[in-house]
């Protein structure tokens, strides 16, 4: 089982017991891919990963400890998130101060390559909500686990054990948007892993 790869904590949740959403081929097309401003060193409570734009719109992930080979992920924008309501009593900007750029958080479908025991790749899915710095760089990544619920199973090609297997991008995207709607309504508890940017752009 893969232990040290891109977003290790999230993968551990997704891979445990063959849960989650899977596909046998890349489903996110090149035209839909977005590197989402991911560039630099990011860390959760226990793990670190270096992210940088890669070829064909992919995001390349490198283990700074060198204990796992590089991995590549595809991201596709699902939606922009509504900004949090502003608090009353906030101080007005000073006269002559440069305007602050208000960049909305965005939610992305993530497709992460996983190498099998015999060298065959499979792909697992998660949703990432990304907050941006003023320069447009991704500053914080909140990863949401995706389980093969009854709702998501309706969009999948089939179910194997506890995993939803997808073979069509449009249905995969529809399932992801449906999962976001479930989260909006707080109809189920969703485990999250947060990754903060720790350093500058990847070399």
């Amino acid at each position: 089982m893969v232990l040290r790869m891109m977003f290790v904590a999230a993968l551990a949740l997704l891979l445990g017991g063959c849960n989650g959403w899977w596909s046998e081929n890349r489903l996110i097309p090149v035209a839909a891919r977005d590197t989402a401003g991911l560039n630099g060193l990011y860390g959760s409570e226990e793990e670190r990963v270096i992210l940088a734009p890669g070829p064909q719109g992919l995001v390349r992930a490198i283990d700074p400890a060198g204990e796992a080979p590089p991995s590549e992920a595809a991201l596709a924008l699902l939606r922009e998130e509504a900004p949090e309501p502003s608090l009353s009593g906030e101080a007005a900007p000073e006269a002559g101060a440069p305007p602050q750029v208000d960049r909305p958080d965005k939610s992305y479908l993530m497709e992460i390559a996983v190498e099998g025991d015999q060298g065959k790749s499979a792909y697992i899915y998660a949703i990432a909500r990304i907050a941006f710095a003023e320069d447009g760089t991704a500053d914080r990544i909140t990863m949401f686990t995706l389980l093969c619920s009854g709702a998501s199973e309706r969009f999948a090609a089939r179910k194997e054990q506890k995993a939803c297997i997808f073979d069509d991008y449009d249905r995969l995207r529809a399932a992801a948007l449906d999962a976001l709607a479930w989260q909006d309504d707080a109809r189920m508890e969703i485990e999250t892993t947060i990754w903060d940017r720790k350093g500058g752009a990847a070399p």
Side-chain angles (χ1 to χ4, degrees), residues 21 147-156 164 166 175 178:
W21 298 7
L147 300 179
C148 189
S149 64
S152 57
E153 187 181 350
R154 293 187 293 109
F155 296 94
C164 284
F166 290 86
D178 185 65

Side-chain angles (χ1 to χ4, degrees), residues 72-90:
E72 291 179 333
L75 287 85
L77 178 65
L78 292 171
R79 70 183 192 189
E80 288 190 353
E81 300 299 329
E84 295 290 334
S86 59
L87 299 175
S88 59
E90 287 185 344

Side-chain angles (χ1 to χ4, degrees):
M1 193 65 68
V2 177
L3 294 178
R4 291 188 62 85
M5 282 185 67
M6 177 182 179
F7 303 122
V8 181
L11 288 180
L13 291 170
L14 289 166
L15 293 174
C18 294
N19 292 324
W21 298 7
W22 292 76
S23 69
E24 296 167 347
N25 301 290
R26 277 207 182 277
L27 297 182
I28 298 179
V30 174
R33 294 176 190 168
D34 186 337
T35 56
L38 293 166
N39 196 9
L41 175 66
Y42 295 81
S44 65
E45 290 184 358
E46 299 179 355
E47 301 291 343
R48 297 289 185 271
V49 65
I50 297 170
L51 302 177
Q56 296 186 309
L58 297 172
V59 173
R60 190 165 179 80
I62 299 171
D63 177 7
E67 297 179 15
S71 178
E72 291 179 333
L75 287 85
L77 178 65
L78 292 171
R79 70 183 192 189
E80 288 190 353
E81 300 299 329
E84 295 290 334
S86 59
L87 299 175
S88 59
E90 287 185 344
E94 295 181 8
Q100 291 188 340
V101 179
D102 184 17
R103 298 183 181 274
D105 292 357
K106 297 180 180 180
S107 290
Y108 293 85
L109 175 65
M110 294 190 68
E111 180 178 70
I112 304 168
V114 178
E115 292 292 333
D117 294 336
Q118 298 178 350
K120 184 178 180 181
S121 295
Y123 302 90
I124 61 173
Y125 296 91
I127 289 176
R129 181 164 296 163
I130 297 180
F132 297 89
E134 288 189 7
D135 65 358
T137 302
D139 198 45
R140 168 170 282 198
I141 311 159
T142 302
M143 299 277 292
F144 301 91
T145 61
L146 291 171
L147 300 179
C148 189
S149 64
S152 57
E153 187 181 350
R154 293 187 293 109
F155 296 94
R158 65 185 189 276
K159 182 177 181 179
E160 292 184 5
Q161 299 180 21
K162 297 180 180 180
C164 284
I165 311 298
F166 290 86
D167 62 3
D168 178 82
Y169 174 63
D170 289 337
R171 294 182 66 82
L172 171 66
R173 181 179 174 82
L177 289 168
D178 185 65
L180 282 176
W182 276 72
Q183 182 198 17
D184 291 341
D185 293 344
R187 285 180 278 174
M188 65 180 178
E189 182 178 354
I190 300 178
E191 294 188 71
T192 63
T193 305
I194 295 175
W195 296 76
D196 289 311
R197 192 164 186 263
K198 306 294 185 182

